Amino acid sequence: MTIHQLSSQQIQPHIENAETIFNAAQPVSNLLSLQPRLASALARFCPQNRQHFDPRFMLIKSSESHLLFSLYHQAVKRVLPSDNDLVGYTYHINNNKIILRKSQNRQENFGTNDNCLYAQWFDSEMLFGCVRHPEGEEIKLQTGLVHNANGGILILGLRTLLNKPELWFKLKSMVIKGEFNWLSGDDNTPLPYNVPSLPLDLRIMLIGDRLSLSDLQEFDPEFYQSSLYAEFENELLWKSDHELATWAGYLKFIQQSQQLPELTSSAYFPILKAAVRHTEDQQYLPLSPDWIYGLLTNAAQLAVDKIDQHCIEQALQQKQWRESYLIDRFKHEIFSNMITIDTQGEIIGQINGLSVIEYPGYPHAIGQPARLSGLVHFGDGEFIDIERKSELAGNLHSKGMMIMQAFITAEFALYNQLPFSVSLVFEQSYNEIDGDSASLAGLCVLISALAMQPIDQQVAVTGSVDQFGHVQAIGGVNEKIESFFAVCQHRGLTGQQGVIIPSANQSHLCLNDDIVMAVTNKQFHIWTVEHVAEALYLLTGIPYKDNNHALNLYHMVQSRIQQALLQDKRPTSNHWLTRLFKR
């Protein structure tokens, strides 16, 4: 067996020399220092010597936040050639006659004032400018973003363009043609005066998330063939102290660029722990400037001079408290026995599963124990998923139930129909559920009911299984463990309580200090398993399939199935009708 009981060092990131690494780290130069792919694409988009065939559009998969836009702007300005040599054109207006001429110096350029501008939100007038003709006055040409950035790069939010597709197609056409055509505010009314077209030398960077990029690809699929694509990588793979030092330099860059108080070395470890918690993986650290900025600004409000360990920990605690109303409500329902969760004794066909609930508008998934029960009775082999029957289950949940059925059929070599019917249900579940993370718990319940062996209610289970019984990784493992621990802690830790998780989820653990202390004191346990047989042994104390033991769950289930099949085939010779016909 590959059952492992985890130590306190294994359920949180463990770095002995964090403060030394932080002190030696130097701030990185810009946002793209940890984005080699994106930096390479940007260098291709902004060459020192431009050619007519260089791409004019660049797509970046990224969140659309003001902070990120400003950091993108800084990064682009670093690689662009100096804008001192920008030359362009100028309009001369006399008696409502408009003439376009090439400008002699930058001061005369029409609208051009920077080689890189950005905007998250904009409308037609902000983007393209407009032609104004006040009564009794001469025509006035009002500049837009395309004029102000002519000769350089314009960074735009993709979400706004998708909300106004006509702006996108007009902008795309003008950039490709290299010519800006003045437009009327009303498409049905032409301009009253002839305004000469303005030569346009503009490159466009579009910033959008995965959904926005998908929408763009749907209604303009050809665009992807002629544009440069790159992604902002939200996480940094951490393999050695070198990556930790680089990430520390990234923290210092965000802190300095946003003029936040200086970080002390003692703040580094609690930031690291919060970072692992955010990525849900001990091997990855977040690169999201918004997450780092949010954490540091909350801590800065508590700092006297510098941000230290106390500031970070207090900021995290206050944030957790502010956002914990729904979590406290769930706990109260369990503590007051409105939701039944057994944490003592042994019961046949009942197990404590672990789930997470996501509420619209709530920023986090909420962990919640869930009582899963299964009943086995004589029948025609039907697997009754009550959640599915009542239309409260999604497709992934149904997939998990069907995998369980396939495992049972193959494992016990059932050439005939299973002589039992099985019903599975999440007790006291009144909302829609989805996901396959309960399939391990469901399979354990099913085998417990078939073997008629009880399950220890002091242990909770999460994990999905494949058709061969191998346990697979799931999401929200920290929230799931903490939710069951909170129930056990409220009722009193016995030293026998714990959770079973997939081995693949061990690297995702970053649990709170209460659990770390309980695991250290052997008051609470966390086991990792790779196969359903290992989980069943922990839950029942009986091996699942072991030839060295006469007593095992596999033989118990086989024996019960064979007895049921024989009983079903046995002639009913004692029936009074049978005796009557024999006469």
Side-chain angles (χ1 to χ4, degrees):
M1 287 190 179
T2 54
I3 299 172
H4 294 289
Q5 183 171 332
L6 302 184
S7 66
S8 58
Q9 288 80 16
Q10 293 174 301
I11 62 176
Q12 62 176 340
H14 184 65
I15 308 164
E16 295 180 351
N17 53 345
E19 294 190 10
T20 304
I21 292 173
F22 183 82
N23 286 330
Q26 296 298 317
V28 300
S29 58
N30 65 86
L31 176 71
L32 305 187
S33 298
L34 275 66
Q35 303 284 336
R37 295 181 180 89
L38 181 52
S40 175
L42 188 60
R44 172 75 178 85
F45 192 62
C46 308
Q48 293 297 312
N49 298 310
R50 290 183 60 199
Q51 303 291 334
H52 69 279
F53 50 78
D54 287 336
R56 292 185 172 272
F57 297 93
M58 182 174 178
L59 284 168
I60 300 179
K61 186 254 135 185
S62 169
S63 62
E64 296 185 40
S65 71
H66 176 76
L67 176 58
L68 259 176
F69 270 76
S70 65
L71 294 175
Y72 281 132
H73 177 256
Q74 294 176 18
V76 171
K77 294 283 282 186
R78 287 177 59 88
V79 299
L80 278 177
S82 173
D83 60 354
N84 293 330
D85 299 328
L86 283 175
V87 294
Y89 297 83
T90 184
Y91 282 102
H92 294 276
I93 303 174
N94 187 16
N95 294 326
N96 292 329
K97 290 183 179 181
I98 306 173
I99 301 173
L100 179 67
R101 293 175 181 170
K102 196 164 186 178
S103 64
Q104 300 300 317
N105 54 65
R106 187 181 177 195
Q107 285 69 30
E108 293 181 356
N109 284 353
F110 178 76
T112 303
N113 56 33
D114 205 333
N115 62 354
C116 183
L117 296 173
Y118 68 92
Q120 285 180 264
W121 181 90
F122 46 87
D123 56 17
S124 179
E125 191 171 303
M126 290 174 60
L127 187 61
F128 297 124
C130 64
V131 180
R132 298 192 183 280
H133 190 191
E135 186 176 351
E137 299 181 19
E138 287 208 327
I139 294 173
K140 293 182 179 179
L141 301 180
Q142 180 173 311
T143 62
L145 290 168
V146 295
H147 310 109
N148 298 333
N150 195 5
I153 291 178
L154 182 57
I155 305 174
L156 298 175
L158 184 54
R159 190 179 299 125
T160 299
L161 280 176
L162 292 173
N163 289 332
K164 302 175 182 179
E166 69 280 359
L167 295 185
W168 162 241
F169 287 111
K170 288 176 182 178
L171 176 63
K172 176 185 172 185
S173 176
M174 291 178 182
V175 171
I176 292 174
K177 291 179 179 179
E179 184 179 78
F180 176 80
N181 298 308
W182 290 91
L183 305 170
S184 171
D186 184 357
D187 292 338
N188 298 320
T189 304
L191 289 172
Y193 300 97
N194 180 34
V195 183
S197 298
L198 177 71
L200 192 65
D201 180 17
L202 191 62
R203 285 165 287 172
I204 304 295
M205 286 179 60
L206 298 177
I207 312 295
D209 57 20
R210 190 77 67 191
L211 182 60
S212 297
L213 291 171
S214 174
D215 292 341
L216 176 63
Q217 188 177 33
E218 184 176 347
F219 76 80
D220 195 0
E222 297 82 7
F223 174 69
Y224 274 70
Q225 306 303 319
S226 59
S227 61
L228 201 60
Y229 179 85
E231 298 198 15
F232 181 86
E233 299 172 25
N234 288 317
E235 295 165 347
L236 173 69
L237 179 60
W238 159 26
K239 294 181 179 179
S240 64
D241 288 352
H242 173 71
E243 285 80 19
L244 284 178
T246 304
W247 192 71
Y250 188 70
L251 289 179
K252 293 180 179 180
F253 161 72
I254 299 295
Q255 171 256 316
Q256 293 177 7
S257 67
Q258 303 307 306
Q259 301 179 351
L260 294 169
E262 183 181 345
L263 290 165
T264 67
S265 58
S266 67
Y268 191 41
F269 182 73
I271 293 176
L272 270 173
K273 188 171 180 178
V276 170
R277 178 81 178 204
H278 177 73
T279 61
E280 297 186 332
D281 197 320
Q282 293 181 11
Q283 296 179 329
Y284 284 90
L285 298 170
L287 295 178
S288 167
D290 293 291
W291 181 84
I292 295 172
Y293 177 72
L295 175 60
L296 297 185
T297 50
N298 286 337
Q301 295 173 357
L302 304 171
V304 177
D305 182 26
K306 297 180 180 181
I307 299 176
D308 57 15
Q309 177 180 354
H310 175 73
C311 297
I312 296 294
E313 292 176 345
Q314 191 173 357
L316 290 170
Q317 290 172 2
Q318 290 183 359
K319 183 176 185 294
Q320 182 181 9
W321 176 78
R322 290 193 301 268
E323 299 172 353
S324 63
Y325 171 73
L326 283 177
I327 298 175
D328 289 344
R329 288 285 291 136
F330 275 117
K331 288 180 180 178
H332 176 73
E333 290 180 350
I334 296 174
F335 296 165
S336 60
N337 294 322
M338 293 177 63
I339 296 177
T340 303
I341 298 294
D342 293 314
T343 56
Q344 292 182 351
E346 298 179 339
I347 301 175
I348 295 175
Q350 178 177 300
I351 197 170
N352 288 320
L354 299 174
S355 63
V356 289
I357 302 174
E358 295 182 357
Y359 276 89
Y362 187 73
H364 310 293
I366 301 174
Q368 184 180 25
R371 185 164 49 104
L372 179 62
S373 64
L375 288 177
V376 173
H377 51 84
F378 287 104
D380 57 1
E382 182 182 7
F383 279 67
I384 304 171
D385 177 8
I386 295 178
E387 307 296 334
R388 186 65 172 175
K389 290 279 188 180
S390 59
E391 299 183 352
L392 287 176
N395 294 330
L396 293 179
H397 172 81
S398 299
K399 176 184 176 183
M401 296 297 109
M402 288 186 282
I403 288 174
M404 288 165 41
Q405 182 177 2
F407 174 83
I408 291 293
T409 303
E411 182 74 0
F412 296 99
L414 298 177
Y415 299 104
N416 299 312
Q417 185 171 271
L418 183 71
F420 301 105
S421 289
V422 179
S423 63
L424 291 170
V425 66
F426 280 94
E427 303 289 357
Q428 293 183 286
S429 170
Y430 308 107
N431 298 311
E432 292 185 5
I433 63 172
D434 203 0
D436 62 350
S437 64
S439 55
L440 173 60
L443 188 54
C444 291
V445 160
L446 182 56
I447 293 176
S448 164
L450 286 170
M452 300 191 70
Q453 293 299 315
I455 287 176
D456 188 353
Q457 301 301 298
Q458 297 182 98
V459 181
V461 180
T462 184
S464 71
V465 292
D466 63 13
Q467 294 188 103
F468 307 100
H470 299 123
V471 180
Q472 303 168 136
I474 44 81
V477 64
N478 292 298
E479 291 80 6
K480 291 177 178 180
I481 294 173
E482 289 172 357
S483 66
F484 186 68
F485 175 80
V487 178
C488 296
Q489 186 182 43
H490 176 78
R491 295 176 178 175
L493 296 175
T494 64
Q496 304 299 317
Q497 298 149 333
V499 295
I500 299 171
I501 65 172
S503 293
N505 281 118
Q506 179 179 333
S507 64
H508 303 156
L509 296 178
C510 185
L511 298 166
N512 63 42
D513 293 339
D514 288 343
I515 297 183
V516 173
M517 183 62 68
V519 170
T520 302
N521 296 333
K522 301 187 182 306
Q523 295 175 302
F524 193 78
H525 310 281
I526 300 172
W527 298 277
T528 64
V529 297
E530 295 182 357
H531 194 271
V532 63
E534 299 159 6
L536 284 166
Y537 180 74
L538 288 169
L539 291 166
T540 65
I542 302 173
Y544 170 65
K545 187 190 289 186
D546 190 341
N547 294 328
N548 296 325
H549 292 79
L551 184 67
N552 63 63
L553 297 173
Y554 182 80
H555 288 159
M556 291 178 182
V557 175
Q558 271 196 328
S559 176
R560 190 179 180 195
I561 291 174
Q562 293 302 320
Q563 289 178 5
L565 289 172
L566 290 174
Q567 184 176 353
D568 188 50
K569 293 178 180 179
R570 186 178 302 162
T572 55
S573 56
N574 292 327
H575 196 277
W576 68 273
L577 283 174
T578 303
R579 296 196 303 271
L580 177 64
F581 282 113
K582 281 186 176 180
R583 294 177 184 174

